[in-house]
Amino acid sequence: MMQKKLLVQVVGALLLLLPWVGPLHAQSRSVSGTVTDASTQDPLPGVSVLVKGTTIGTITDINGKYVLSVPPDVSTLTFSYVSYVTTEQEIGARSVIDVTLEEDTKVLQEVVVTSFGREQKRRELGYAVQEVEGKQLAETVRPNMVDALQGRIAGVQVGSTSGSPGSSSSIIIRGGTSLDGNNQPLFVVDGIPVDNTTLREGYLLNDGANRGGDYSNRIADLDPNDIESVTVLKGPSAAALYGIDAANGAIVITTKKGKAGQMAVNYNNNFRFERITRFPDRLETYNTGVGDSTYNGTLQRWGAPIPAGTQTYDNLENFFQTGFMQTHNLSVSGGSERVNFVLSGNLLDQQGSIPETGYQRKSIRANVGAQLSSKLNVTTSANYLRTDVERASKGDASLLQYALIWPSTDDMRNWQNSNGTLRRVYEDGDDTFDNPYFSVNKNQVGDGTDRLLLNGSVSYDPLSWLNLTGRIGADVYSTFGYTYLDPQSFQSFPNRSQASAVNGLMSEYNIQSHLVNSFLMLNLHKSFGDVSTSLTLGNNLENRTYRVDSWYAEDIQVPGLYSINNTDQNTREIATKGYRRKLVGLFGEFKADYRNLLFLTLTGRNDWSSTLPPQNNSFFYPSVSLGFVFSDAFQIGGPLSFGKVRASFAQVGKDAPAHQTQPALSAFTRTGGGFYVGFYGPNSNIKPETTVSYEAGLELRFFQNRLGIDATYYNVSSRDQIVQPRLSYASGYILQLVNAGEIQNQGVELLVTATPVKKGTFTWDATANFALNRNKVVALPGNFEEFYLSDTWLNGNARAGYVPGQSFYSITGNSFQRNENGELLIGENGYPIEETGFIEIGNRQPDFTLGLTNRLNWKDFTLSFLFDIRKGGDVFNATNRLLTFYGLSERTANRGEMVVFDGVLEDGSRNTQEVPLDQTYYQSSARGYNESLFIEKDINWLRLRDVSLAYQLPSALFSKTFVKSLSINLTGTNLWLWSNYSGGDPDVNGLNASARGSGAIGFDYFSVPPPIAFAAGLRASF
């Protein structure tokens, strides 16, 4: 019912807009024609055809044809197209005007959006950038735009945390630079930094470890249909002017704006069906029980074999449903030579494959630009967004975990007794957990967010060589979240009671986030003979406030009414956490080029951060880059169209977490109140982390740009790491910030673009991006042999740990002892001897990644598809480890067998003792349950990540209507996967996107895999 109502609202809004469009077509004279490429004679779709001096215009269809109604008193048409020279044609008495457009010889000077929303010629840049069109992201029909970037950008690693609606996604560029800090890039929208925070459970009363709860990363609020382009500034050189927040690179998003001379109404929709289909294999041949005998009191499968003919149920297939998602996007845009505008409204409504989960996003956006005079320009935009999520738990005690271990001899759908109480498999057994159907129907987890993005800028040119630009932006949002656990539920909060033991419980929280940025820039440009120069001086003021109020209570007095006032007042707790940060920056950039051939760029920035002690809160960092277009300098002809070498050096800093360098008291949140010594010990000598980057690159274009190669080598060193080692409890504190440790990253990136075929109405464009990164931990704090991330301690003794000389993405844990020859040491009992210390047992770093994008155009059809390839990298299959304990893993199929382990005794003799592989073996961490046995080595994958097919209907079908163009499209995501991984999907993340350091990418602990999805929709212009 809700979906029908939303659809009616969208269609109704569209119908209200149609009268605006009608008068544009009620003109007295018709002009038509075809626009083609001057060199190939191929038709050009999407060419802008405008009546000069008016807002009347149209675009060519897929066959390069156009039809335009013009008033009798106009004389000129203007034809413009990206990468082609704009052409004007006198109308005269003609009714048919065919035009050929010449390719712009300056196409290689195409511009990209870099720091502060400025456009720069690509040939001037001395560092690597890569750009993705917004329409490519929108075509994927993925709710989270970050997921749509995976496989499209060399050196960018995207980690989706779950296939559930509203889940978060992390993104890391060129490996991590911080052992214990944030490694994600800065996101910038139209020149203003915006928030991409994912809620950390440490801000809540439950003080969790980000394992069981997932929360959206805030950049997912943006609708891809509003995005014009995404530019990835990969290294510190590219992002140096943005300061400390861009130490990990920057994702620069440019939103759509109105185009002068055009008035258009655009509507598109998609209807998507999705289903989760990839699950780990299980051994379903044994009954519940222990010791090889059936025991009706446990869900472990160590009982006797299930008798032939026994009724069994596919509980996974029954539980996970076919999800449905619909999107609707409506926009009105246009303008004149002095004013342009765009107004858009977007709706996304998703019902997940997990019952009672969903994600809804609504967005209204307006952007207006005006040239008030020949010297003064202003732009302003506002974007209101509302998201609502009904969530599912992940990891330990999650719906997936319980659905996997539920006995196949019991129908999980029967979750209620006749009296309405929770039905258990064994009322007096050890299955003290919730039936997944009970959880989705009785427990509630969700949140809703209201967000407002504001952006305004003023640009003034008092002189021909002088420009003043001011820009201010605000990102403000409020989130209300909740968790309600039914009085019968066996679930609990971390460090809190089980709901069934306290008559139910509830927790709620409210987030208030404010991020305000302002920039003031003075831009000077002057030429001296063959040398052109420019100088930019500016300042940046940033004020960030993040506050989380949370409350918790037990004993729900009136069933079904979840309110803090409906609980036992003696159980109520309340807490406020958060931070405030102020940042002041002064920056400058000097650029010089010689004959548009040799380009030099120097930058410098000084920041003052409130999170650092006064004596260390000011720090300066420079960058220098050089580019040389040798193909033009030496007038190289033949197949080489363009050739350039580039090199850069940059240094950038990163400040400390807020409020952790000075001693503080913390409030006791339970009844009675009071204060206690805070968590963090003081350190007034903390200074910024420092990252130093060297980069070199080569750009080549051949055969009139039909083939392009962009190769990059980088070497990045990050020292003075800000980490949080544990203190002696005698100090009264738990952790303390210190400067220690160093990480090194180096790697190679290769981007190849090609048009292998361009003949007649058929064009084939292909892009391949290759990335190889090698990182290592050079040094750790003090004499640490291992430094670990406690949140990643998901199951057993395996975690994300750092070991000097080893990879940044190491997995450390328990293993087995070996002698100097690498042979397994066997104990007197005939089993391998456990190594109880934490050593490196895995490396999640892939050998390389490769993305292959193809786009084929033939007549009115467009087919695009993306293959995502990864070679190497280990995965900790903790899901299989727990299934092994329960006797559900296929590893336990050999139970009862007698084996001799290949190894040597401590005296050096060969082992010959036979031992059984029984339940005790598979449930002992010192034997078959040892963590190292569940590190799956060298995991590869080849996946068809995205496929899209579009058909442009012939314009003749609606030439006499108000419809300009109409196309239909089919889209598939995650359609096919080949991998040597034994689990559901190797693209896993054991935590949410708020994880610090190397995070938990490569940790599989009941992570819900991404769904296979099919979508169909249409796109119309009026």
Side-chain angles (χ1 to χ4, degrees), residues 791-802:
D791 284 2
T792 65
W793 213 333
L794 299 172
N795 176 261
N797 287 326
R799 59 201 186 191
Y802 305 121

mmCIF file with all atom_site columns, all heavy atoms in Angstrom, residues 791-802:
data_model
loop_
_atom_site.group_PDB
_atom_site.id
_atom_site.type_symbol
_atom_site.label_atom_id
_atom_site.label_alt_id
_atom_site.label_comp_id
_atom_site.label_asym_id
_atom_site.label_entity_id
_atom_site.label_seq_id
_atom_site.pdbx_PDB_ins_code
_atom_site.Cartn_x
_atom_site.Cartn_y
_atom_site.Cartn_z
_atom_site.occupancy
_atom_site.B_iso_or_equiv
_atom_site.pdbx_formal_charge
_atom_site.auth_seq_id
_atom_site.auth_comp_id
_atom_site.auth_asym_id
_atom_site.auth_atom_id
_atom_site.pdbx_PDB_model_num
ATOM 1  N N   . ASP A 1 791 ? 38.467 -4.317  18.293 1.00 0.00 ? 791 ASP A N   1
ATOM 2  C CA  . ASP A 1 791 ? 37.145 -4.527  17.711 1.00 0.00 ? 791 ASP A CA  1
ATOM 3  C C   . ASP A 1 791 ? 37.113 -5.713  16.764 1.00 0.00 ? 791 ASP A C   1
ATOM 4  O O   . ASP A 1 791 ? 36.058 -6.322  16.547 1.00 0.00 ? 791 ASP A O   1
ATOM 5  C CB  . ASP A 1 791 ? 36.691 -3.280  16.946 1.00 0.00 ? 791 ASP A CB  1
ATOM 6  C CG  . ASP A 1 791 ? 36.235 -2.163  17.880 1.00 0.00 ? 791 ASP A CG  1
ATOM 7  O OD1 . ASP A 1 791 ? 36.315 -2.347  19.109 1.00 0.00 ? 791 ASP A OD1 1
ATOM 8  O OD2 . ASP A 1 791 ? 35.817 -1.100  17.377 1.00 0.00 ? 791 ASP A OD2 1
ATOM 9  N N   . THR A 1 792 ? 38.256 -6.044  16.168 1.00 0.00 ? 792 THR A N   1
ATOM 10 C CA  . THR A 1 792 ? 38.296 -7.123  15.179 1.00 0.00 ? 792 THR A CA  1
ATOM 11 C C   . THR A 1 792 ? 38.428 -8.505  15.811 1.00 0.00 ? 792 THR A C   1
ATOM 12 O O   . THR A 1 792 ? 38.496 -9.501  15.085 1.00 0.00 ? 792 THR A O   1
ATOM 13 C CB  . THR A 1 792 ? 39.469 -6.912  14.204 1.00 0.00 ? 792 THR A CB  1
ATOM 14 O OG1 . THR A 1 792 ? 40.711 -7.012  14.918 1.00 0.00 ? 792 THR A OG1 1
ATOM 15 C CG2 . THR A 1 792 ? 39.386 -5.554  13.540 1.00 0.00 ? 792 THR A CG2 1
ATOM 16 N N   . TRP A 1 793 ? 38.432 -8.557  17.123 1.00 0.00 ? 793 TRP A N   1
ATOM 17 C CA  . TRP A 1 793 ? 38.529 -9.838  17.828 1.00 0.00 ? 793 TRP A CA  1
ATOM 18 C C   . TRP A 1 793 ? 37.147 -10.486 17.813 1.00 0.00 ? 793 TRP A C   1
ATOM 19 O O   . TRP A 1 793 ? 36.458 -10.587 18.826 1.00 0.00 ? 793 TRP A O   1
ATOM 20 C CB  . TRP A 1 793 ? 39.008 -9.605  19.262 1.00 0.00 ? 793 TRP A CB  1
ATOM 21 C CG  . TRP A 1 793 ? 39.845 -10.691 19.827 1.00 0.00 ? 793 TRP A CG  1
ATOM 22 C CD1 . TRP A 1 793 ? 39.826 -12.013 19.493 1.00 0.00 ? 793 TRP A CD1 1
ATOM 23 C CD2 . TRP A 1 793 ? 40.821 -10.565 20.856 1.00 0.00 ? 793 TRP A CD2 1
ATOM 24 N NE1 . TRP A 1 793 ? 40.727 -12.708 20.240 1.00 0.00 ? 793 TRP A NE1 1
ATOM 25 C CE2 . TRP A 1 793 ? 41.354 -11.862 21.090 1.00 0.00 ? 793 TRP A CE2 1
ATOM 26 C CE3 . TRP A 1 793 ? 41.305 -9.501  21.606 1.00 0.00 ? 793 TRP A CE3 1
ATOM 27 C CZ2 . TRP A 1 793 ? 42.338 -12.101 22.042 1.00 0.00 ? 793 TRP A CZ2 1
ATOM 28 C CZ3 . TRP A 1 793 ? 42.282 -9.742  22.558 1.00 0.00 ? 793 TRP A CZ3 1
ATOM 29 C CH2 . TRP A 1 793 ? 42.799 -11.026 22.769 1.00 0.00 ? 793 TRP A CH2 1
ATOM 30 N N   . LEU A 1 794 ? 36.740 -10.958 16.636 1.00 0.00 ? 794 LEU A N   1
ATOM 31 C CA  . LEU A 1 794 ? 35.365 -11.384 16.417 1.00 0.00 ? 794 LEU A CA  1
ATOM 32 C C   . LEU A 1 794 ? 35.087 -12.785 16.930 1.00 0.00 ? 794 LEU A C   1
ATOM 33 O O   . LEU A 1 794 ? 34.005 -13.066 17.461 1.00 0.00 ? 794 LEU A O   1
ATOM 34 C CB  . LEU A 1 794 ? 35.036 -11.333 14.918 1.00 0.00 ? 794 LEU A CB  1
ATOM 35 C CG  . LEU A 1 794 ? 35.133 -9.965  14.249 1.00 0.00 ? 794 LEU A CG  1
ATOM 36 C CD1 . LEU A 1 794 ? 34.970 -10.106 12.743 1.00 0.00 ? 794 LEU A CD1 1
ATOM 37 C CD2 . LEU A 1 794 ? 34.072 -9.027  14.798 1.00 0.00 ? 794 LEU A CD2 1
ATOM 38 N N   . ASN A 1 795 ? 36.023 -13.692 16.735 1.00 0.00 ? 795 ASN A N   1
ATOM 39 C CA  . ASN A 1 795 ? 35.785 -15.085 17.082 1.00 0.00 ? 795 ASN A CA  1
ATOM 40 C C   . ASN A 1 795 ? 37.116 -15.754 17.367 1.00 0.00 ? 795 ASN A C   1
ATOM 41 O O   . ASN A 1 795 ? 38.025 -15.728 16.533 1.00 0.00 ? 795 ASN A O   1
ATOM 42 C CB  . ASN A 1 795 ? 35.070 -15.801 15.925 1.00 0.00 ? 795 ASN A CB  1
ATOM 43 C CG  . ASN A 1 795 ? 34.879 -17.278 16.187 1.00 0.00 ? 795 ASN A CG  1
ATOM 44 O OD1 . ASN A 1 795 ? 35.646 -18.092 15.709 1.00 0.00 ? 795 ASN A OD1 1
ATOM 45 N ND2 . ASN A 1 795 ? 33.844 -17.618 16.940 1.00 0.00 ? 795 ASN A ND2 1
ATOM 46 N N   . GLY A 1 796 ? 37.221 -16.367 18.540 1.00 0.00 ? 796 GLY A N   1
ATOM 47 C CA  . GLY A 1 796 ? 38.448 -17.043 18.893 1.00 0.00 ? 796 GLY A CA  1
ATOM 48 C C   . GLY A 1 796 ? 39.618 -16.086 19.005 1.00 0.00 ? 796 GLY A C   1
ATOM 49 O O   . GLY A 1 796 ? 39.456 -14.873 19.161 1.00 0.00 ? 796 GLY A O   1
ATOM 50 N N   . ASN A 1 797 ? 40.807 -16.602 18.880 1.00 0.00 ? 797 ASN A N   1
ATOM 51 C CA  . ASN A 1 797 ? 42.019 -15.803 18.983 1.00 0.00 ? 797 ASN A CA  1
ATOM 52 C C   . ASN A 1 797 ? 42.585 -15.488 17.601 1.00 0.00 ? 797 ASN A C   1
ATOM 53 O O   . ASN A 1 797 ? 43.665 -15.933 17.217 1.00 0.00 ? 797 ASN A O   1
ATOM 54 C CB  . ASN A 1 797 ? 43.059 -16.514 19.847 1.00 0.00 ? 797 ASN A CB  1
ATOM 55 C CG  . ASN A 1 797 ? 42.695 -16.476 21.321 1.00 0.00 ? 797 ASN A CG  1
ATOM 56 O OD1 . ASN A 1 797 ? 42.116 -15.502 21.795 1.00 0.00 ? 797 ASN A OD1 1
ATOM 57 N ND2 . ASN A 1 797 ? 43.001 -17.542 22.047 1.00 0.00 ? 797 ASN A ND2 1
ATOM 58 N N   . ALA A 1 798 ? 41.827 -14.725 16.846 1.00 0.00 ? 798 ALA A N   1
ATOM 59 C CA  . ALA A 1 798 ? 42.280 -14.206 15.555 1.00 0.00 ? 798 ALA A CA  1
ATOM 60 C C   . ALA A 1 798 ? 41.790 -12.769 15.459 1.00 0.00 ? 798 ALA A C   1
ATOM 61 O O   . ALA A 1 798 ? 40.648 -12.472 15.821 1.00 0.00 ? 798 ALA A O   1
ATOM 62 C CB  . ALA A 1 798 ? 41.747 -15.037 14.392 1.00 0.00 ? 798 ALA A CB  1
ATOM 63 N N   . ARG A 1 799 ? 42.651 -11.888 14.975 1.00 0.00 ? 799 ARG A N   1
ATOM 64 C CA  . ARG A 1 799 ? 42.307 -10.470 14.964 1.00 0.00 ? 799 ARG A CA  1
ATOM 65 C C   . ARG A 1 799 ? 43.182 -9.743  13.950 1.00 0.00 ? 799 ARG A C   1
ATOM 66 O O   . ARG A 1 799 ? 44.181 -10.288 13.452 1.00 0.00 ? 799 ARG A O   1
ATOM 67 C CB  . ARG A 1 799 ? 42.510 -9.878  16.350 1.00 0.00 ? 799 ARG A CB  1
ATOM 68 C CG  . ARG A 1 799 ? 43.946 -10.001 16.861 1.00 0.00 ? 799 ARG A CG  1
ATOM 69 C CD  . ARG A 1 799 ? 44.024 -9.899  18.361 1.00 0.00 ? 799 ARG A CD  1
ATOM 70 N NE  . ARG A 1 799 ? 45.403 -9.876  18.850 1.00 0.00 ? 799 ARG A NE  1
ATOM 71 C CZ  . ARG A 1 799 ? 45.757 -10.004 20.122 1.00 0.00 ? 799 ARG A CZ  1
ATOM 72 N NH1 . ARG A 1 799 ? 44.830 -10.183 21.046 1.00 0.00 ? 799 ARG A NH1 1
ATOM 73 N NH2 . ARG A 1 799 ? 47.019 -9.942  20.488 1.00 0.00 ? 799 ARG A NH2 1
ATOM 74 N N   . ALA A 1 800 ? 42.811 -8.509  13.652 1.00 0.00 ? 800 ALA A N   1
ATOM 75 C CA  . ALA A 1 800 ? 43.650 -7.659  12.815 1.00 0.00 ? 800 ALA A CA  1
ATOM 76 C C   . ALA A 1 800 ? 44.792 -7.155  13.683 1.00 0.00 ? 800 ALA A C   1
ATOM 77 O O   . ALA A 1 800 ? 44.590 -6.341  14.583 1.00 0.00 ? 800 ALA A O   1
ATOM 78 C CB  . ALA A 1 800 ? 42.835 -6.500  12.249 1.00 0.00 ? 800 ALA A CB  1
ATOM 79 N N   . GLY A 1 801 ? 45.983 -7.638  13.399 1.00 0.00 ? 801 GLY A N   1
ATOM 80 C CA  . GLY A 1 801 ? 47.141 -7.279  14.203 1.00 0.00 ? 801 GLY A CA  1
ATOM 81 C C   . GLY A 1 801 ? 48.270 -6.766  13.340 1.00 0.00 ? 801 GLY A C   1
ATOM 82 O O   . GLY A 1 801 ? 48.387 -7.107  12.164 1.00 0.00 ? 801 GLY A O   1
ATOM 83 N N   . TYR A 1 802 ? 49.093 -5.914  13.929 1.00 0.00 ? 802 TYR A N   1
ATOM 84 C CA  . TYR A 1 802 ? 50.251 -5.360  13.228 1.00 0.00 ? 802 TYR A CA  1
ATOM 85 C C   . TYR A 1 802 ? 51.524 -5.967  13.807 1.00 0.00 ? 802 TYR A C   1
ATOM 86 O O   . TYR A 1 802 ? 51.718 -5.990  15.029 1.00 0.00 ? 802 TYR A O   1
ATOM 87 C CB  . TYR A 1 802 ? 50.306 -3.845  13.386 1.00 0.00 ? 802 TYR A CB  1
ATOM 88 C CG  . TYR A 1 802 ? 49.042 -3.132  12.961 1.00 0.00 ? 802 TYR A CG  1
ATOM 89 C CD1 . TYR A 1 802 ? 48.334 -2.333  13.863 1.00 0.00 ? 802 TYR A CD1 1
ATOM 90 C CD2 . TYR A 1 802 ? 48.546 -3.241  11.670 1.00 0.00 ? 802 TYR A CD2 1
ATOM 91 C CE1 . TYR A 1 802 ? 47.185 -1.668  13.479 1.00 0.00 ? 802 TYR A CE1 1
ATOM 92 C CE2 . TYR A 1 802 ? 47.399 -2.581  11.274 1.00 0.00 ? 802 TYR A CE2 1
ATOM 93 C CZ  . TYR A 1 802 ? 46.718 -1.796  12.191 1.00 0.00 ? 802 TYR A CZ  1
ATOM 94 O OH  . TYR A 1 802 ? 45.575 -1.140  11.810 1.00 0.00 ? 802 TYR A OH  1
#
